[in-house]
Amino acid sequence: TDTERCENVKMGAPGRDGRDGQPGSSGAPGANGASGANGLQGPAGPSGRDGRDGSPAAPGTPGEKGLKGDIGEKGMTGPKGDMGSSGVVYIRWGKTTCPNGADRVYYGRAAGSQWTAKGGTSDHLCLPETPQYKNYYSSVVYLPELYGVEYALDGGQTSLLRHLHQTQMPCVLCSVSTRSKMIMIPARYECPSDWNREYSGYLMSGAEEGDRTGRKTICVDEAAEAVPGSGANTNPAVVFFMRAVCNGLPCPPYEANKLLTCAVCTQ
């Protein structure tokens, strides 16, 4: 039988692979794979350029004027301003130099009407050392005349400034550009705390005698000097120390026969 024949047939060796056969057709696409994990953040990119090349927008329409606001509270007082540049001037009687901080405008001699004259000036003037004249003269006898001022510091007055007796008084006009006010304080040799003392001394004026014209009072420096070479006792315009009288003035604090002091102060 066939079955018997097949059993009697021996099996041959295996055949070669089918590599030389034609490729088969492509299979269907596979399903999408699962999403991967997030990656690390990358470095920052470079800065972008500015917007300078942009065109400006057109101005908007002005709004309506608002209502006037309430008056605000008064502000604090500002700091004190610098001193003005007007300055002050004063005469330093009995000296030819000015104190520190003051400039000398000119110096010269004290002058006034003769001490026995009933007319003339009541002022004491500081005449410059070198006068200037124009070409005019007068010999009229009743014209007012000026004389040099002589110290009269003799007798029982005091030993103060006795060395100046019968000498002529010098004077100097001083200017202080950093201050704007000046006062002469009688009966005080110190200035108020917020004022600067230019100099101090003693009150002097003409003598109380007869019906002669009164002379204005001046503050003569306590370290007064004489005009060099003077001292001939010519009785021109003469000044004496002044004193208080306990008649209408309270004593104390005023004292009879005590010489009155003075101070010239600026601020």
Side-chain angles (χ1 to χ4, degrees):
T1 68
D2 291 335
T3 302
E4 291 176 348
R5 282 194 300 270
C6 288
E7 290 176 353
N8 294 325
V9 178
K10 294 183 180 180
M11 299 289 293
R16 58 180 295 183
D17 56 39
R19 62 187 174 191
D20 295 332
Q22 295 295 322
S25 58
S26 299
N32 293 334
S35 299
N38 293 334
L40 298 174
Q41 182 175 346
S47 300
R49 62 176 296 180
D50 56 37
R52 62 189 173 191
D53 295 331
S55 299
T61 303
E64 296 182 358
K65 184 177 180 180
L67 298 175
K68 184 177 181 180
D70 297 332
I71 298 176
E73 297 182 359
K74 183 178 179 180
M76 298 178 62
T77 302
K80 185 177 180 180
D82 295 333
M83 184 66 66
S85 59
S86 58
V88 294
V89 294
Y90 61 88
I91 296 173
R92 189 181 189 187
W93 300 101
K95 302 288 283 186
T96 58
T97 58
C98 296
N100 292 334
D103 298 320
R104 185 171 72 175
V105 181
Y106 72 86
Y107 72 97
R109 299 173 179 239
S113 293
Q114 190 178 29
W115 78 295
T116 56
K118 296 182 180 180
T121 180
S122 62
D123 286 323
H124 290 99
L125 305 175
C126 184
L127 299 184
E129 188 72 12
T130 304
Q132 293 179 323
Y133 287 100
K134 294 188 176 181
N135 295 324
Y136 297 95
Y137 296 85
S138 177
S139 58
V140 177
V141 296
Y142 52 77
L143 288 185
E145 297 175 324
L146 287 177
Y147 295 76
V149 172
E150 184 178 280
Y151 299 103
L153 310 176
D154 63 337
Q157 292 188 72
T158 178
S159 60
L160 179 66
L161 301 179
R162 182 73 63 83
H163 63 288
L164 298 177
H165 179 54
Q166 295 180 346
T167 62
Q168 304 292 308
M169 180 190 296
C171 58
V172 59
L173 181 67
C174 302
S175 171
V176 185
S177 61
T178 57
R179 302 186 181 95
S180 59
K181 291 180 271 188
M182 186 277 293
I183 54 175
M184 190 276 281
I185 303 180
R188 296 280 300 180
Y189 58 84
E190 292 180 343
C191 296
S193 59
D194 55 343
W195 289 70
N196 180 75
R197 185 173 68 179
E198 297 294 325
Y199 75 93
S200 60
Y202 293 89
L203 294 178
M204 291 191 185
S205 188
E208 271 194 28
E209 192 171 299
D211 58 352
R212 292 177 289 108
T213 302
R215 303 288 181 253
K216 287 191 175 179
T217 302
I218 57 177
C219 182
V220 179
D221 197 283
E222 63 183 342
E225 303 165 352
V227 172
S230 63
N233 188 24
T234 58
N235 288 324
V238 180
V239 291
F240 299 79
F241 287 116
M242 300 188 77
R243 61 189 176 187
V245 176
C246 299
N247 184 348
L249 291 175
C251 295
Y254 288 91
E255 297 183 36
N257 297 326
K258 213 163 192 181
L259 303 184
L260 290 169
T261 58
C262 57
V264 172
C265 311
T266 57
Q267 187 186 58

